[in-house]
Amino acid sequence: MTDEWRRAIEKRLQSLELRSAVDEVHRSNVEGRLSGIEEALKWLVRVILGALLMGAMGYALAGGLTPA
């Protein structure tokens, strides 16, 4: 095992460790962003369903279900 070969292996190992650390940070950031998007979508669905429900109740209370 020559000194040059050992240095090449160490350099490759450092490169892999750095790439792994960068990927881990990136994955963590993406996970946080997706979590935020999921929360926003959950509230958007709640608002839309609430608006539809209130519209249906308003229509019914205004006499929309009575025969003409």
Side-chain angles (χ1 to χ4, degrees):
M1 184 147 92
T2 65
D3 193 40
E4 182 180 320
W5 185 75
R6 186 180 54 79
R7 275 187 268 146
I9 295 296
E10 286 177 358
K11 185 177 180 181
R12 288 178 61 193
L13 181 59
Q14 287 175 349
S15 175
L16 285 173
E17 288 174 344
L18 178 63
R19 189 177 312 150
S20 175
V22 168
D23 286 345
E24 185 177 335
V25 169
H26 180 68
R27 195 173 302 115
S28 174
N29 288 339
V30 168
E31 182 180 322
R33 288 179 179 170
L34 284 176
S35 208
I37 291 170
E38 286 175 351
E39 288 295 318
L41 284 176
K42 180 177 17 176
W43 279 104
L44 182 62
V45 168
R46 287 177 181 173
V47 167
I48 290 171
L49 289 177
L52 289 173
L53 182 62
M54 293 302 290
M57 285 178 56
Y59 179 74
L61 291 175
L65 298 176
T66 59

